[in-house]
């Protein structure tokens, strides 16, 4: 009987000691992991520059795409120039068509009949002039809008680069497998570390 009690006490003490030693090892690992995460976080955070967004917007206003280069978003520069180039192309195309139709109309009023559109009446030429003029103004408006969007994009990108997003505050969707009814549980978790 005494031997059985000694075995039971020995087993309990041995279990408690192994459980306590595992907890200490886990605490050591977690403190080391936390220290490594803090070092990584400190490297990523850049100092706050209050004039960086204004500087990026100014650069984009002076030369479209320069604000994107300043913020490090080089891949946006071809998009900016393609959009602006497309707007300018349509403006010039509509301007050329408007001037061509206007010159034909003026020649008709002067009495010449050797134009490109012999089957089109004067009213139709006036209608074409109005259409090309409207398209020209619309393409100019779109080009100016793209130019302003370029400036806003540089400003917003510079603002967002200074926004500190760390793993301390995270919002992650989480899918758990329910062991009781073999279904999926969906949820959101909000984690905040000090």
């Amino acid at each position: 009987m005494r031997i059985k009690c000694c075995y039971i006490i020995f087993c309990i003490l041995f279990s408690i000691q192994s459980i306590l030693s595992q907890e200490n090892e886990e605490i050591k690992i977690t403190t080391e992991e936390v220290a490594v995460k803090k070092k990584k976080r400190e490297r990523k955070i850049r100092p706050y520059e209050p004039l960086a967004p204004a500087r990026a917007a100014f650069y984009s206003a002076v030369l479209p795409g320069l604000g994107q280069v300043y913020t490090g978003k080089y891949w946006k520069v071809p998009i900016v120039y393609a959009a602006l180039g497309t707007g300018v192309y349509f403006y010039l195309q509509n301007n050329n068509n408007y001037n061509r139709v206007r010159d034909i109309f003026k020649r008709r009023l002067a009495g010449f009949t050797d134009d490109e559109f012999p089957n089109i009446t004067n009213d139709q030429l006036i209608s074409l002039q109005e259409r090309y003029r409207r398209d020209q103004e619309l393409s100019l408006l779109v080009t100016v809008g793209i130019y302003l969007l370029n400036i806003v994009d540089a400003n917003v990108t510079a603002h967002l680069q200074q926004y500190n997003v760390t793993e301390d505050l995270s919002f992650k969707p989480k899918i758990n497998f329910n062991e009781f009814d073999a279904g999926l549980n969906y949820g959101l978790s909000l984690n905040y570390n000090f």
Side-chain angles (χ1 to χ4, degrees):
M1 177 77 175
R2 205 167 196 204
I3 294 177
K4 288 183 183 179
C5 287
C6 288
Y7 283 131
I8 292 174
I9 292 174
F10 177 74
C11 288
I12 291 173
L13 289 175
F14 184 73
S15 324
I16 291 175
Q17 189 270 337
S18 63
I19 291 172
L20 291 176
S21 67
Q22 287 178 0
E23 287 179 3
N24 289 339
E25 288 176 6
E26 289 177 7
I27 291 173
K28 288 179 185 177
I29 291 171
T30 57
T31 55
E32 290 172 1
E33 290 175 359
V34 169
V36 169
K37 286 182 182 179
K38 282 185 180 179
K39 286 182 183 178
K40 286 182 182 177
R41 228 181 301 135
E42 289 173 359
R43 285 185 224 145
K44 290 181 184 178
I45 298 174
R46 297 189 323 189
Y48 179 73
E49 294 181 45
L51 295 178
R55 191 175 302 130
F58 175 74
Y59 288 162
S60 278
V62 170
L63 181 65
L66 191 59
Q68 283 75 12
V69 171
Y70 174 72
T71 58
K73 304 293 183 183
Y74 302 105
W75 62 273
K76 291 182 180 181
V77 175
I79 295 171
V80 168
Y81 280 109
L84 287 173
T86 303
V88 169
Y89 169 77
F90 281 113
Y91 175 80
L92 293 175
Q93 188 71 24
N94 288 317
N95 187 35
N96 290 339
N97 288 336
Y98 170 76
N99 288 333
R100 184 174 49 119
V101 171
R102 189 187 62 184
D103 290 341
I104 290 171
F105 181 70
K106 284 181 179 180
R107 287 181 57 85
R108 276 198 187 172
L109 291 178
F112 295 101
T113 58
D114 58 342
D115 56 43
E116 299 175 33
F117 307 115
N119 298 332
I120 295 178
T121 65
N122 287 345
D123 292 335
Q124 291 174 331
L125 282 176
I126 291 172
S127 175
L128 274 175
Q129 286 181 44
E130 290 173 358
R131 186 184 119 208
Y132 286 133
R133 184 63 159 186
R134 185 175 50 248
D135 291 346
Q136 178 187 15
E137 291 170 355
L138 181 63
S139 59
L140 179 65
L141 184 65
V142 167
T143 305
V144 169
I146 291 170
Y147 173 74
L148 293 175
L149 188 64
N150 158 53
I151 295 170
V152 169
D153 175 62
N155 190 328
V156 169
T157 303
H159 270 293
L160 290 178
Q161 281 183 340
Q162 294 186 9
Y163 186 70
N164 185 11
V165 179
T166 63
E167 293 295 322
D168 291 343
L169 180 61
S170 61
F171 190 67
K172 300 176 185 175
K174 190 174 185 181
I175 299 174
N176 289 332
F177 182 72
N178 191 348
E179 297 170 0
F180 297 112
D181 62 356
L184 295 177
N185 292 335
Y186 302 99
L188 296 174
S189 64
L190 180 64
N191 303 322
Y192 185 73
N193 296 328
F194 292 101

